[in-house]
Amino acid sequence: MFDLKLLQAFVTVADAGSFTAAAHRLNSTQSTVSQQIGRLDDVVRRALFDRGARPVKLTPAGEQLIGYARRILALQREALALMSDPSGSRTIRVGVPDDLVTPEMSQEFARFSTRYSEIRLDVATGLSRELSRRFREGELDVAIVKEPSAQADAHASFREPLAWVEASNRSRPWFFRRYHWSPSRREGYIVTR
């Protein structure tokens, strides 16, 4: 495992071109920075700088390591920033019936994610009854479901009229059969051909 302080010294020397300038940037002494680079040389078992060159130059081994060192340090800064965020990153878990996930809805989710980059959207699709169950069990924060009537825990609801649609070039008579809609026993009709 690489010691982050050693990697920071390594990148700073590479950027500054000298141990003295790197020490100044790190608020350290030249001998401490030189020792840190020596310890890193020992870890990788190769010299990382040509110390005789002015300004100091990376050896081939140093050239191989520098990109990784920068990425490791960048990931460390990113992780620290994420963990130090007092509000933290939030996740909103949304459930949507399969037939309601349209390209327009997907674009809205994408716009939301772009506008609120600190919030992660987890979108699950499925049948309304399954989404309702997952919402009530705390697996989803928001569930959009289709039900005969709004449940007591619904925050918003709207009625949507039922429509039967057929191609204009088809004209066969429609037959209606009476049925009862369980569990509320509401009357309705099944339409068949």
Side-chain angles (χ1 to χ4, degrees):
M1 296 233 326
F2 289 108
D3 182 322
L4 294 173
K5 286 189 178 197
L6 302 184
L7 289 179
Q8 184 63 59
F10 170 61
V11 169
T12 306
V13 171
D15 291 345
S18 81
F19 287 82
T20 305
H24 181 70
R25 291 182 186 181
L26 295 169
N27 295 319
S28 187
T29 64
Q30 185 272 334
S31 64
T32 300
V33 172
S34 184
Q35 288 172 2
Q36 289 173 324
I37 298 303
R39 287 176 35 214
L40 191 55
D41 286 346
D42 291 342
V43 169
V44 297
R45 297 185 185 133
R46 298 190 222 168
L48 298 170
F49 288 103
D50 176 358
R51 293 178 186 236
R54 295 291 178 257
V56 294
K57 295 200 183 292
L58 291 168
T59 63
E63 291 285 351
Q64 287 179 322
L65 182 60
I66 193 71
Y68 290 105
R70 291 186 197 285
R71 286 170 38 202
I72 290 168
L73 292 170
L75 282 172
Q76 186 231 8
R77 285 190 300 273
E78 186 180 318
L80 284 173
L82 180 67
M83 294 296 110
S84 65
D85 179 7
S87 64
S89 292
R90 294 181 300 159
T91 299
I92 297 178
R93 301 162 303 172
V94 180
V96 183
D98 294 321
D99 58 335
L100 292 184
V101 181
T102 62
E104 294 79 15
M105 183 174 279
S106 297
Q107 289 170 359
E108 285 302 319
F109 285 145
R111 278 193 277 277
F112 180 91
S113 294
T114 301
R115 185 169 180 191
Y116 302 100
S117 60
E118 72 280 5
I119 298 174
R120 181 177 143 201
L121 276 181
D122 282 346
V123 179
T125 61
L127 299 173
S128 288
R129 66 177 170 268
E130 179 65 16
L131 297 173
S132 292
R133 180 196 62 77
R134 291 181 65 191
F135 175 75
R136 289 185 179 88
E137 291 178 3
E139 294 178 31
L140 297 172
D141 300 308
V142 176
I144 301 167
V145 295
K146 298 182 288 181
E147 297 178 321
S149 60
Q151 299 297 315
D153 57 352
H155 292 282
S157 67
F158 64 93
R159 292 188 180 273
E160 189 174 80
L162 180 63
W164 296 92
V165 181
E166 72 174 339
S168 62
N169 61 353
R170 300 209 30 138
S171 60
R172 291 175 49 196
W174 291 92
F175 297 98
F176 297 90
R177 275 190 251 163
R178 194 177 193 98
Y179 77 102
H180 292 283
W181 189 359
S182 293
S184 62
R185 307 291 293 173
R186 294 185 179 175
E187 281 197 7
Y189 293 92
I190 293 178
V191 182
T192 60
R193 289 203 178 255

